[in-house]
Amino acid sequence: MTNGITRRSLRILVAGGGITGHALAFWLTRDGHRVTVVERFPAPRAAGAQVDLRGQGIEAVARMGLLETVRGRLVDEAGVAFIDSRGKPKATIMANTSGRGRQSLTSEYEIMRGDLVRILYEATRNDTEYVFGRSVDGFVQDADRVTAHFSDGTSDEYDLLVGADGQGSRVRRALLPEGADPYWRVGIHMAYWFVPRIASDSSIRDTYMVPGGRQIMRRSHNATETQVYFVLREESAKASAIHRAPVEQQQKFWADRFRDAGWQTGRFIEGMQDSPFFYSQEIVQVRTDRWYKGRVVLAGDAAHCASPYSAWESPAVWSAPTSWPGRSTGTRTTCRPRWPTTNESCGPSSTRSRTRSIPASCAWACPSMGTPSAPSRMPPRWPASSTCPTWSRGSPGRTAAVAGSCPPTPTRAPSEPPRPAARERGPAR
């Protein structure tokens, strides 16, 4: 008994076996709780593209005792080059590997999402009950317990249910009032896949800004594979619907939109057909006024997905839980804009030198000169890793996939974003 409060072990169900679910399991079991993680995939979801760790995320991994393990699986990315249609670099920003000061567009800790999931899974599997091939379809709760109903027709009782089931969270859908819509579309779509690596694919990430609201990015994560990212700014019903179509139709959509882009587009489109990994998604933000109700709480992207364009990760799921009911202090912080310099194309930015060197990385995605207005609870932020204003914070697995781009003024989404067609693929951010 400490300060009149008796600590007891809780039985906790975590819905979702992604980065958030694994990290929560780590800290909750360390605190003496009995944790079950259910994941709808039949095995750990060790797929996905490249992510990075920054700031408090790095400190949290160190506190978990996993920093050296993470170091052993890092991707060799030396920096970012902004190239023209012939592949000639126009500006290059190298990674800061000194261990001091702020990270650049490339973090000192770049790692594949799958490798990070494997590390966290291995660190928790002996103390956590993992159930694969099952999802939480619904729940009921009272003052003493929450009963979860699973996709296989079974049910069980827990002291706490955590929805860590991502951007399209079923737990969040059941938690919020009927008709509540947590999605803000930003008019941007993204596809990424792997192609065979060739001799010219260096350790420098290439970013090519294409006329017509398009962007291509290439980065290599091992000796044989290269990641390709196509990014498109398009506000149309067809673009929003394509992510629900069969994979073949998705690939045709992306090929048609980028066929005339130049550079190595032909190689990338050809490699798309045979890629072992392909993922297409609409970039959305998750914004909700409610993160918990009774014994059910949201975490990670299910609570506050800021989209890959936020260029800022949320360290809350890495550190000891601080977002339980009545203690929402982990991720939603209020802070004044810290960077007064201005990019005429996009509003406030992070540094004078970066604003002068790569203004196109903002201008391509911004349809207007004004800075979008945000709800008073989520004031704009200008983190050091971004050249554009952002409105919320994402999760470690969602950090700056295309850092340096700013989203346009968001509009309210009428419905849940489309789910990708079935095939082995990465997280729905």
Side-chain angles (χ1 to χ4, degrees):
M1 189 167 185
T2 304
N3 296 327
I5 300 176
T6 301
R7 293 174 59 86
R8 70 182 182 92
S9 175
L10 300 177
R11 190 172 185 224
I12 300 174
L13 175 65
V14 178
I19 293 174
T20 298
H22 289 312
L24 279 171
F26 180 94
W27 291 108
L28 290 171
T29 54
R30 172 173 288 193
D31 208 32
H33 302 296
R34 294 169 294 159
V35 179
T36 299
V37 175
V38 294
E39 166 55 47
R40 65 187 179 92
F41 272 60
R45 297 187 68 182
Q50 189 169 320
V51 300
D52 57 43
L53 300 176
R54 299 172 183 268
Q56 292 174 323
I58 299 172
E59 179 184 354
V61 171
R63 291 185 179 184
M64 296 169 85
L66 300 175
L67 190 59
E68 291 308 310
T69 305
V70 168
R71 282 185 185 276
R73 302 305 298 269
L74 293 181
V75 173
D76 179 21
E77 183 171 290
V80 180
F82 293 85
I83 64 173
D84 61 19
S85 61
R86 297 170 297 172
K88 182 179 179 181
K90 294 298 184 182
T92 300
I93 302 175
M94 301 303 291
N96 175 12
T97 59
S98 67
R100 300 184 299 274
R102 297 188 180 277
Q103 300 291 304
S104 69
L105 296 182
T106 290
S107 170
E108 183 180 358
Y109 294 89
E110 299 279 345
I111 188 171
M112 297 301 291
R113 179 192 176 276
D115 288 337
L116 187 55
V117 167
R118 291 187 189 96
I119 290 171
L120 293 171
Y121 175 67
E122 290 299 323
T124 56
R125 62 183 303 180
N126 293 330
D127 301 313
T128 302
E129 179 188 8
Y130 282 95
V131 181
F132 296 103
R134 184 190 298 180
S135 61
V136 176
D137 281 356
F139 61 86
V140 293
Q141 62 173 319
D142 56 30
D144 299 318
R145 66 188 65 83
V146 54
T147 301
H149 300 289
F150 299 106
S151 55
D152 61 358
T154 62
S155 61
D156 207 346
E157 295 181 350
Y158 301 88
D159 295 301
L160 184 69
L161 167 61
V162 181
D165 47 346
Q167 174 180 293
S169 171
R170 294 184 180 184
V171 174
R172 185 187 61 233
R173 193 184 313 161
L175 184 70
L176 298 180
E178 185 176 354
D181 179 13
Y183 297 106
W184 289 77
R185 283 191 168 88
V186 299
I188 299 177
H189 307 264
M190 179 186 295
Y192 44 98
W193 62 96
F194 297 165
V195 298
R197 184 170 182 172
I198 61 177
S200 63
D201 293 344
S202 71
S203 62
I204 300 289
R205 184 205 320 174
D206 291 322
T207 300
Y208 172 39
M209 315 307 297
V210 188
R214 297 173 292 175
Q215 181 186 48
I216 299 175
M217 186 169 70
R218 181 217 59 82
R219 64 202 316 186
S220 299
H221 56 282
N222 61 37
T224 61
E225 293 178 308
T226 282
Q227 304 163 61
V228 177
Y229 299 74
F230 279 8
V231 186
L232 174 69
R233 184 181 178 278
E234 179 176 322
E235 298 183 49
S236 71
K238 182 175 182 179
S240 294
I242 194 61
H243 312 287
R244 295 191 298 269
V247 171
E248 293 74 17
Q249 294 182 27
Q250 294 179 21
Q251 293 178 340
K252 183 179 184 303
F253 170 88
W254 287 103
D256 291 344
R257 290 297 192 276
F258 279 80
R259 202 175 303 278
D260 65 342
W263 188 36
Q264 298 183 26
T265 305
R267 169 202 170 196
F268 297 151
I269 292 176
E270 181 179 356
M272 180 194 302
Q273 311 301 320
D274 300 321
S275 175
F277 171 87
F278 176 84
Y279 184 60
S280 178
Q281 70 175 126
E282 181 172 8
I283 303 300
V284 300
Q285 294 182 353
V286 173
R287 299 184 180 185
T288 173
D289 291 320
R290 180 178 292 277
W291 285 3
Y292 70 91
K293 183 178 181 180
R295 293 178 173 270
V296 182
V297 62
L298 303 175
D301 286 351
H304 44 74
C305 174
S307 93
Y309 280 83
S310 66
W312 187 259
E313 84 277 17
S314 168
V317 297
W318 293 93
S319 51
T322 56
S323 296
W324 306 134
R327 297 190 61 200
S328 182
T329 60
T331 57
R332 185 170 298 181
T333 57
T334 301
C335 105
R336 296 173 298 175
R338 295 172 291 172
W339 307 104
T341 58
T342 299
N343 179 323
E344 294 181 358
S345 299
C346 262
S349 61
S350 60
T351 62
R352 295 181 185 274
S353 60
R354 190 176 301 152
T355 301
R356 288 196 300 266
S357 62
I358 51 171
S361 64
C362 277
W364 80 277
C366 293
S368 63
M369 301 290 284
T371 300
S373 59
S376 58
R377 63 180 173 85
M378 300 177 88
R381 300 180 61 87
W382 290 268
S385 59
S386 173
T387 58
C388 303
T390 60
W391 306 285
S392 55
R393 302 172 74 176
S395 68
R398 291 282 188 155
T399 305
V402 194
S405 298
C406 63
T409 304
T411 56
R412 195 67 169 180
S415 61
E416 179 177 342
R419 290 182 178 272
R423 181 190 257 195
E424 181 177 351
R425 51 182 76 243
R429 208 209 300 217

